[in-house]
Amino acid sequence: VQDVATGQSCGLRGDGESHRWWTEKVLKILAEIQAPLSLLMLRLCNWALLRLLNRLFLSVQLHRGQLEMVLRAARTSGVPLVFLSMHKSQVDGLLLSFLLFSQGLGVPRVTVGGQVCSPRLRALLSRLGGIFLPSRTEQTPSDRDEGLRGAVLATYVEEVLRSRQPLLIFLEEPPVALHLSAPAREWLALVYRAVRDGAVPDVLLVPVGIAYDVVP
């Protein structure tokens, strides 16, 4: 990020003013990507989700064989976990997060694709572990702005993997099936870049899935 900031002129006079301008831009991009996890919101959502599941479904069945595979992967030392899943409904992210958290795997960072979210819903999902691609610059994006956006996003993914926070990437967006979405391509490219550039030695890709008798 610093290389991008110092390698391009921002048209401001004075190093102090230039530094403040870049710092504000970086913090704004980072705020679009994520928010700090809220333990209170996680507990409330856990309670509310149990009530919601009881209303939506007759039962939720956990595949013991797949669970054992996931737990075995989590025991692999020194390698961050990247969960990959198909996206069949809008409750997938909450349901998978709830299941992974209930099995002692921590709160995964869940990628949110191109779905339109209201500001309040986006703020709530961010507090629960949702991460978003930062918006591209309005009007005519400059190489400087796009370069800074890409640098902050790449660095963020590197830090998530380096700190071994579980990352959940949805490969598609409902209702489109069997088609890799553009946001998924971008997230996967960032994971690949982190390994290629040596930010992490390797990642463990773990497939997880949800099947519905009737999609909610």
Side-chain angles (χ1 to χ4, degrees), residues 16-80:
E17 188 177 358
S18 175
H19 178 74
R20 284 193 300 274
W21 188 89
W22 281 111
T23 300
E24 290 173 0
K25 291 284 287 186
V26 168
L27 292 176
K28 181 180 178 182
I29 294 171
L30 186 59
E32 287 190 70
I33 299 173
Q34 65 131 53
L37 293 173
S38 170
L39 293 179
L40 175 61
M41 293 303 301
L42 286 168
R43 292 192 182 100
L44 289 174
C45 185
N46 182 52
W47 172 81
L49 188 58
L50 285 173
R51 296 178 64 88
L52 175 65
L53 293 178
N54 285 329
R55 289 180 175 273
L56 283 179
F57 308 114
L58 295 176
S59 66
V60 176
Q61 300 175 0
L62 193 59
H63 192 290
R64 292 296 175 182
Q66 189 178 50
L67 174 61
E68 178 57 34
M69 180 193 69
V70 172
L71 294 176
R72 187 167 62 248
R75 290 192 291 266
T76 305
S77 61
V79 181

Side-chain angles (χ1 to χ4, degrees), residues 134-154:
S135 59
R136 297 185 181 276
T137 307
E138 295 83 1
Q139 288 109 26
T140 305
S142 66
D143 292 339
R144 179 190 66 198
D145 292 332
E146 283 300 296
L148 185 62
R149 172 189 180 274
V152 174
L153 185 57

